[in-house]
Amino acid sequence: ATTNGNGLMGIKKDLAVKAMINGQAKTLAEMENKWESFTFAPIRESQVSRAMTRRYFNDLDTYAESDIVIVGAGSCGLSAAYILGKQRPDLKIAIIEAGVAPGGGAWLGGQLFSAMVMRKPADVFLADLGVPYEDEGDFVVVKHAALFTSTLLSRVLSYPNVKLFNATTVEDLITRPSPTPTNPSAISIAGVVTNWTLVSMHHDDQSCMDPNTINAPLVISTTGHDGPFGAFSVKRLVSMQQIEKLGGMRGLDMQSAEDAIVKGTREVVRGLVVGGMELSEVDGANRMGPTFGAMALSGVKAAEEALRVFEE
Ligand code: AHZ
């Protein structure tokens, strides 16, 4: 074939044009300079509707029984999903994210600055992900937080066994009695209660709009520190008397905060692993501000904890 890297040359190029007019262009190069005769392949509106809804309802059906549910698609939740999806293609992993846009607070570094700082050894996570960074000795810098988050998202979303349900809020936990010799009122978590976020936001001004559910033996909660949506699962644990009270996130101390979050990432009640800044509300840990290594590595540890519990 007579190609030069810039598209097909000479007569071959004319043939490519004909193919494109018939809706068969195979490369962007074949479409070069052909806008006058341009047309899309035909469509009927119902085809679009069915293409979307069939897949979404099939996903709802498939993931109604999931192996692991991750609540919150911030830097910690997505890091956990990255490890789980990669290591266990046999597991069904559902991610529930309240926002339309997944990523939580990881689209910017700090204040409204672009660069994202990660302290070593979290550079190992970036290397595994394939995100470039500048080495500054004890820490590394990604040139834009959005490069980290978009790369992480694209990897997670490309796993066939991971489904992101965004614009969907976890409104409650599914719980079962699970008494132990020391705690007769102990519970275990058996899944999550979900609703469209826009519905969740209107429970005060509309009559009852009941939720949906996803069953799973293991839930990883990474909903961030307290806020309009944050610290969701652990606040529920308090109201169910599974934790006496929350420690409450403390003031900023970068030096100690990140170690505490990674080390503390664990199964807090049976079937519920808590990671990222949601954990700071349980343990009364300091915040770290704009340094994200602990979120990535807490996600890695949450994934390992989840698999350990799952395999028990
Ligand atoms: O929308 C929330 C966000 O994307 C989502 N979320 C919260 N409640 C939810 C619910 N159902 C579904 N009930 C929910 N989704 O959870 C995500 C949390 O992301 P985040 O970035 O807020 O938390 P993280 O722990 O992954 O990362 C924290 C990043 C921070 S905060 C901080 C400081 O304040 O000092 N420093 C860092 C690095």
Side-chain angles (χ1 to χ4, degrees), residues 224-244:
H225 56 67
D226 202 1
F229 282 105
F232 172 77
S233 301
V234 297
K235 287 192 276 192
R236 196 74 178 104
L237 294 183
V238 175
S239 66
M240 291 197 71
Q241 292 160 352
Q242 299 300 306
I243 308 180
E244 196 187 328

Side-chain angles (χ1 to χ4, degrees), residues 270-282:
R270 184 91 192 133
L272 183 77
V273 173
V274 181
M277 286 311 281
E278 181 165 5
L279 192 72
S280 74
E281 302 288 356
V282 181

Side-chain angles (χ1 to χ4, degrees), residues 80-92:
Y82 170 68
I83 299 295
L84 287 170
K86 188 157 99 153
Q87 288 187 3
R88 294 296 301 267
D90 55 314
L91 298 184
K92 278 191 282 180

